[in-house]
């Protein structure tokens, strides 16, 4: 009797639970988040970062040591080739020049005296009043005096050139973007020329040296179109062209990168040297195609959705199609939603902006109030949108991107806004 009573209680509890959950399910219908199939253009890009710089820039230094006596150009000054920029104190240089002048004059006088002695000895030798040894000695003295005068002349030219080096002139037309010294500062040019100024050439034509990952460098070539933005003007897109793919690689964190030089026009002067540019190299494009948000292709259906689709096919008596529906759902579930809606954008070691997803995908939608699956072929992707084609697709069609509520969402992480539940790298629900 006791066992019968326990069985009755269990059956009653199960029935009450079933009734409760059915009531909850009917009171809380499943809701979905939809995204439309649209028509437009898709552009695949390779992303990288780099810094803007002048095409031509010159470090202006000094070849003599001394104290900065005067500066004639400051930051942002426009200068012309041959314009005086700075002057080094010439006190010691003037003394060296005067000494060289005196030495050179002394050398000339000594050479004149040695010339006279040689001529005298030559005349005396003709009358046997001098020996051959006397003549050879006079000749040697004259030759040595000539060598000393040449050395003094070289020293004089050097002193004059050092005096000229005290005056620093601009080597090009351009703008001063850096001044490294102040008046009164002492510079030493013992081993290398100290930098006084950095002058950039024509800033209406600039360049970006971008670092591109080795996995993407094969898609970069000379003359390729480039779009880029800078943080100073985030809503403005600038344009350029690849001028050179350099062969000198660098390795950072075990990633091999290659420098790519991009030529840029800057007619309005909004681009400044040193700005960080986010560069997108245009790799491929597709015009006027059907496209869906990439997350819709990564949507993972719930078990309840798969069961509903299977039941619908079974109700039609088409077990084969039911298996296909089950397989479609399983395939979609196997793919998951790696990264969620737009997941993977900017992914890859080189910041690849456009990746090709698998060639075949599944899109879930509702037709006449019932779930349906469309098998599609995928094409180009820019990370946010992916090109799709298939017989069941048409522009404006509403595709399921996530389950946002209801019985189908209960017990599964289909609502991305409910918490930090993630699949492989992103929300299973798509966004």
């Amino acid at each position: 009797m006791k066992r019968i009573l326990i069985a009755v209680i269990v059956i009653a509890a199960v029935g009450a639970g079933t009734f409760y959950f059915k009531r909850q399910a009917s009171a809380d219908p499943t809701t979905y988040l939809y995204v439309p199939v649209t028509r437009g253009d898709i552009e695949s890009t390779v992303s990288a970062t780099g810094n803007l710089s002048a095409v031509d820039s010159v470090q202006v230094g000094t070849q003599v040591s001394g104290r900065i006596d005067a500066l004639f150009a400051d930051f942002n000054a426009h200068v012309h080739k041959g314009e005086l920029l700075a002057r080094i104190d010439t006190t010691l240089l003037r003394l060296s020049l005067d000494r060289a002048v005196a030495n050179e004059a002394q050398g000339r006088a000594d050479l004149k005296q040695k010339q006279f002695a040689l001529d005298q000895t030559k005349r005396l030798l003709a009358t046997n009043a001098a020996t051959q040894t006397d003549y050879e000695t006079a000749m040697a003295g004259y030759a040595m005096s000539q060598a000393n005068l040449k050395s003094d002349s070289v020293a004089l030219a050097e002193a004059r050139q050092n005096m000229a080096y005290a005056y620093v002139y601009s080597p090009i037309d351009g703008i001063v973007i850096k001044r490294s010294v102040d008046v009164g500062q002492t510079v030493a040019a013992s081993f290398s020329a100290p930098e006084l100024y950095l002058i950039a050439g024509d800033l209406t034509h600039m360049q970006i040296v971008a670092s591109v990952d080795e996995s993407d460098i094969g898609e970069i070539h000379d003359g390729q179109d480039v779009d880029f933005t800078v943080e100073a003007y985030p809503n403005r897109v600038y344009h350029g062209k690849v001028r050179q793919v350099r062969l000198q690689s660098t390795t950072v964190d075990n990633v091999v990168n290659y420098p790519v030089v991009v030529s840029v026009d800057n007619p309005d002067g909004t681009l400044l040297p040193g700005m960080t540019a986010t560069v997108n190299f245009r790799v491929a494009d597709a015009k006027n195609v059907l496209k869906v948000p990439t997350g819709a292709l990564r949507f993972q259906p719930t078990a309840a959705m798969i069961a509903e689709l299977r039941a619908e096919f079974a109700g039609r008596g088409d077990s084969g199609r039911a298996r296909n529906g089950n397989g479609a759902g399983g395939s979609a579930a196997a793919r998951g939603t790696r990264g969620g809606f737009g997941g993977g954008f900017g992914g890859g070691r080189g910041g690849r902006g456009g990746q090709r997803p698998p060639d075949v995908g599944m899109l879930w939608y509702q037709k006449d109030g019932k779930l349906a699956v469309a098998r599609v072929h995928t094409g180009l992707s820019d990370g946010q949108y992916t090109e799709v084609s298939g017989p069941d697709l048409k522009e404006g069609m509403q595709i399921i991107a996530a389950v946002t509520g209801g019985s189908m969402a209960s017990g599964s992480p289909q609502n991305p806004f409910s918490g930090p539940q993630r699949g492989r790298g992103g929300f299973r629900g798509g966004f």
Side-chain angles (χ1 to χ4, degrees), residues 128-153:
N128 294 324
T131 65
Q132 184 67 31
T133 300
D134 294 335
Y135 179 74
E136 295 292 339
T137 301
M139 283 285 293
Y142 177 76
M144 184 174 293
S145 182
Q146 278 186 316
N148 288 337
L149 178 59
K150 186 174 183 179
S151 177
D152 292 338
S153 298

Side-chain angles (χ1 to χ4, degrees), residues 287-344:
K287 302 293 186 181
N288 195 31
V289 296
L290 292 178
K291 60 182 182 178
V292 295
T294 304
L297 290 164
R298 294 169 176 163
F299 170 69
Q300 181 177 349
T302 64
M305 293 175 65
I306 297 174
E308 179 181 329
L309 188 64
R310 184 189 304 119
E312 179 185 344
F313 281 112
R316 298 176 185 176
D318 191 344
S319 59
R321 292 186 63 186
R323 286 193 299 270
N324 289 337
N326 188 14
S331 175
R335 280 192 304 275
T337 56
R338 299 167 55 189
F341 201 36

Side-chain angles (χ1 to χ4, degrees), residues 197-419:
Y197 292 96
L198 179 61
I199 299 179
D202 184 9
L203 292 183
T204 60
H205 301 285
M206 301 184 70
Q207 67 181 16
I208 302 170
V209 181
S211 183
V212 178
D213 186 283
E214 62 176 324
S215 63
D216 296 323
I217 197 65
E219 299 186 84
I220 310 301
H221 54 82
D222 292 355
Q224 190 169 9
D225 291 328
V226 172
D227 300 325
F228 69 94
T229 59
V230 294
E231 292 185 4
Y233 307 99
N235 297 323
R236 179 174 176 178
V237 178
Y238 296 86
H239 308 285
K241 285 186 178 294
V242 175
R243 178 164 60 88
Q244 183 184 55
V245 179
R246 293 179 177 171
L247 303 180
Q248 182 181 8
S249 63
T250 57
T251 303
V252 180
D253 296 332
N254 296 323
V255 178
V256 179
N257 297 290
Y258 290 86
V260 177
V261 182
V262 178
S263 295
V264 176
D265 289 331
N266 184 31
D268 56 359
T270 54
L271 299 175
L272 305 179
M275 281 184 169
T276 300
T278 301
V279 183
N280 292 315
F281 300 89
R282 301 180 196 172
V283 175
D285 59 12
K287 302 293 186 181
N288 195 31
V289 296
L290 292 178
K291 60 182 182 178
V292 295
T294 304
L297 290 164
R298 294 169 176 163
F299 170 69
Q300 181 177 349
T302 64
M305 293 175 65
I306 297 174
E308 179 181 329
L309 188 64
R310 184 189 304 119
E312 179 185 344
F313 281 112
R316 298 176 185 176
D318 191 344
S319 59
R321 292 186 63 186
R323 286 193 299 270
N324 289 337
N326 188 14
S331 175
R335 280 192 304 275
T337 56
R338 299 167 55 189
F341 201 36
F345 182 66
R349 292 182 300 173
R352 183 76 178 273
Q355 300 281 356
R356 280 190 175 275
D359 291 337
V360 177
M362 294 291 180
L363 295 177
W364 287 74
Y365 64 102
Q366 282 194 317
K367 183 178 182 180
D368 299 329
K370 297 180 180 180
L371 287 174
V373 175
R375 183 185 294 270
V376 297
H377 290 280
T378 59
L380 204 63
S381 175
D382 62 5
Q384 292 182 324
Y385 288 89
T386 299
E387 175 189 359
V388 290
S389 60
D392 297 328
L393 289 183
K394 61 181 180 179
E395 186 177 355
M397 184 175 176
Q398 297 294 314
I399 303 299
I400 297 175
V403 179
T404 59
S407 59
M408 287 190 179
S410 60
S412 62
Q414 294 299 318
N415 184 358
F417 305 104
S418 62

